[in-house]
Amino acid sequence: MPNMSLKKNPMPVQDPIERGRNFKEVALGYDEATALDEAARCLNCKNMPCVSGCPVNVHIPEFIAKVRELDFEGAYQVINKSSSLPAVCGRVCPQETQCESKCVRGIKGEAVGIGRLERFVADWHNTHSTEAPKLPEPNGHKVAIVGSGPSGLTCAGDLAKLGYKVTVFEALHLAGGVLVYGIPEFRLPKSIVQKEVDTLKALGVDVETNVVIGKTLTIDELFEDMGYEAVFIGSGAGLPRFMGIPGESLKGVYSANEFLTRSNLMKAYESDSTTPIMHAKKVAVVGGGNVAMDAARTALRLGAEKVYIVYRRSLEELPARKEEVEHAMEEGIEFKLLNNPTKILGFENPDDRRDPRNGFVTGMECIRMELGEPDASGRRSPVEIPGSEFVLDVDSVIIAIGTSPNPLIKSSTEGLEVNRKGGIVVEEATGLTSREGVYAGGDAVTGAATVILAMGAGKTAAKAIDEYLSAK
């Protein structure tokens, strides 16, 4: 019988006070009974509107039907036909604005917990399955993937399943891209990412780390010297943006990119880490997206006594996922909304330049804002309130206002067209760049976006690469 409850089963989570001081995963996942109860809420609609909301077109009703039948491995195999990273997507995809936003059950209640069910199925597979994936028959073609983030891993997985010899080149020492350096352990355990990478390796994908394309090797060398017939660029958007206000060069000011990389990938939270982060007592995080939430919640776990989110619009305009905002608030992070930084203040002792306090953050000057007319995107533009300046007492500032694609590949590759923001220009339907045989997708094209959109771009490019090489 269908479960006609108007509410989805809640996700079990750690206690907010307890989790605010550890890096263990916050969301604990459904157990079998809860997953079955939630799966019974799916109406198995014939026109499957939820599938149209998924950038990688997972056959959602089909996998949920398998859950109802207690065929959890079968459910995983349904997901795996479309997605190379199901355990990741079940944790970090914004399902509420994608597949779940199309769910019929959401018209008069809450949508089916599609993401929570996907996580349950992927975790069940990772715990119980011991069978190695079947290696596809080689087709004799070689493809290089630049970057091991979600777009690169997806493209690699789809091509490997078609028999291509795929090599992924990663600049850092661990594969996973933003999944390992950007998203904190308490949202996405690194063991989950490693498991997904190992699954791709079992399909025959080679992963070469510590290779910076554009420096160690060029795109031209991949073609001319190493025999690759197509290249996919999924190098992400790792170049941080700053506000351009006074004081951003002070000690204790970080880009969110640096702060999270040092914590996530280089383990700055460990006492013997070789890449220490200054463990501040009062931290301001500037920005309102998921990265800002990640940085704020990480700072709290590193020992900060007070953490602020400083955002120039109101709560309704916050771009971060609702779940992440709620978790941050539960953990005690204070939201300073309708405020905008104008200057970062620092200690200076002109009488003694050797004073160790020189150059450190002592506060952040802000001005209060109000919402005016909508801007070009339809969001109401924030307007300064004259005379409303005040100083926020902090000793560290993290800037989380976005990132841009790194210009290294463009500067070393002839004929690769980019837009004014540094994103690689591609054909939307194929991911083809201005260079023959070179495709791109994810944040390297769009700028910082979601994991699942990057995966969708990788999937699109894999299909186009297959068609291109099959016709040669």
Side-chain angles (χ1 to χ4, degrees):
M1 290 290 293
N3 174 1
M4 299 308 295
S5 170
L6 295 179
K7 290 189 174 294
K8 69 178 69 172
N9 284 275
M11 172 64 82
V13 295
Q14 280 196 71
D15 175 77
I17 295 176
E18 181 180 342
R19 74 188 189 224
R21 297 303 176 189
N22 69 60
F23 278 84
K24 296 176 183 177
E25 192 168 12
V26 169
L28 303 177
Y30 281 172
D31 59 19
E32 183 175 313
T34 308
L36 290 172
D37 190 60
E38 188 60 31
R41 296 186 66 235
C42 178
L43 300 178
N44 199 18
C45 306
K46 289 184 179 180
N47 61 349
M48 301 183 295
C50 52
V51 176
S52 68
C54 175
V56 296
N57 297 120
V58 170
H59 290 189
I60 295 164
E62 185 181 348
F63 100 72
I64 294 178
K66 294 288 187 183
V67 173
R68 286 202 300 268
E69 297 165 8
L70 297 177
D71 183 5
F72 303 137
E73 180 60 24
Y76 175 83
Q77 294 304 329
V78 170
I79 298 170
N80 194 44
K81 289 176 184 176
S82 303
S83 172
S84 297
L85 306 171
V88 170
C89 289
R91 286 168 163 82
V92 302
C93 275
Q95 292 95 359
E96 65 276 9
T97 61
Q98 293 175 156
C99 55
E100 293 182 12
S101 73
K102 308 291 186 183
C103 178
V104 171
R105 293 301 307 271
I107 296 173
K108 293 185 178 180
E110 293 183 348
V112 174
I114 297 169
R116 296 171 184 181
L117 288 172
E118 181 178 23
R119 169 182 166 156
F120 168 79
V121 167
D123 287 354
W124 191 95
H125 169 83
N126 287 340
T127 301
H128 294 87
S129 178
T130 57
E131 186 176 345
K134 184 179 178 181
L135 285 173
E137 190 71 26
N139 63 18
H141 293 292
K142 289 177 64 177
V143 179
I145 308 291
V146 180
S148 65
S151 64
L153 293 179
T154 297
C155 189
D158 282 14
L159 289 171
K161 291 172 185 175
L162 294 171
Y164 288 89
K165 183 58 180 173
V166 180
T167 304
V168 177
F169 295 97
E170 168 56 46
L172 297 175
H173 62 279
L174 278 181
V178 70
L179 303 176
V180 292
Y181 74 73
I183 302 177
E185 180 81 8
F186 55 82
R187 275 219 297 140
L188 179 62
K190 302 303 163 267
S191 60
I192 296 291
V193 181
Q194 188 59 52
K195 179 70 175 176
E196 304 282 40
V197 172
D198 289 344
T199 298
L200 293 179
K201 287 181 177 179
L203 277 172
V205 175
D206 291 329
V207 178
E208 299 284 345
T209 56
N210 300 309
V211 180
V212 183
I213 300 300
K215 207 73 171 173
T216 314
L217 290 168
T218 65
I219 298 291
D220 290 330
E221 286 172 333
L222 292 175
F223 282 113
E224 297 166 8
D225 299 340
M226 303 182 73
Y228 291 101
E229 300 165 85
V231 174
F232 173 76
I233 302 172
S235 51
L239 189 66
R241 296 177 189 163
F242 286 89
M243 298 185 68
I245 60 175
E248 285 184 316
S249 61
L250 288 168
K251 300 168 188 174
V253 178
Y254 301 92
S255 69
N257 204 36
E258 177 191 1
F259 183 79
L260 290 171
T261 299
R262 288 186 182 277
S263 176
N264 297 332
L265 192 60
M266 305 173 83
K267 300 184 182 205
Y269 52 83
E270 294 182 352
S271 58
D272 60 348
S273 172
T274 57
T275 177
I277 289 172
M278 187 177 70
H279 290 196
K281 295 300 182 184
K282 298 177 182 178
V283 180
V285 179
V286 182
N290 290 328
V291 173
M293 302 304 134
D294 287 344
R297 298 172 70 197
T298 295
L300 181 72
R301 285 159 172 78
L302 288 174
E305 297 170 358
K306 193 70 180 176
V307 182
Y308 302 97
I309 290 283
V310 181
Y311 182 61
R312 62 182 187 154
R313 289 183 166 93
S314 70
L315 185 63
E316 288 70 28
E317 285 81 28
L318 269 175
R321 292 184 69 187
K322 181 182 177 183
E323 179 181 272
E324 303 307 321
V325 174
E326 290 174 349
H327 283 173
M329 289 180 170
E330 289 169 358
E331 291 166 9
I333 290 167
E334 184 175 335
F335 284 65
K336 305 289 285 185
L337 302 172
L338 289 170
N339 288 288
N340 201 39
T342 56
K343 183 179 182 181
I344 301 171
L345 308 175
F347 179 86
E348 184 177 3
N349 182 358
D351 298 326
D352 185 359
R353 291 297 180 185
R354 295 170 298 175
D355 189 327
R357 297 171 294 171
N358 274 325
F360 280 95
V361 172
T362 59
M364 185 169 72
E365 184 180 281
C366 301
I367 188 167
R368 292 185 172 86
M369 314 289 285
E370 60 184 357
L371 294 179
E373 295 301 315
D375 61 17
S377 67
R379 300 165 79 194
R380 294 176 64 193
S381 301
V383 179
E384 294 182 355
I385 300 175
S388 63
E389 293 86 354
F390 68 97
V391 173
L392 194 61
D393 180 20
V394 295
D395 55 1
S396 185
V397 176
I398 302 169
I399 309 295
I401 59 171
T403 54
S404 302
N406 194 303
L408 185 59
I409 291 177
K410 156 61 182 169
S411 64
S412 63
T413 307
E414 289 291 331
L416 192 64
E417 184 182 353
V418 298
N419 61 30
R420 63 183 181 84
K421 293 184 178 180
I424 300 171
V425 176
V426 301
E427 291 180 357
E428 186 175 350
T430 64
L432 179 64
T433 71
S434 53
R435 282 280 302 266
E436 182 183 354
V438 179
Y439 298 77
D443 293 1
V445 171
T446 62
T450 64
V451 167
I452 192 65
L453 288 176
M455 289 176 62
K459 197 170 190 65
T460 295
K463 182 175 182 292
I465 290 170
D466 178 48
E467 291 172 352
Y468 167 68
L469 293 181
S470 296
K472 290 187 77 172

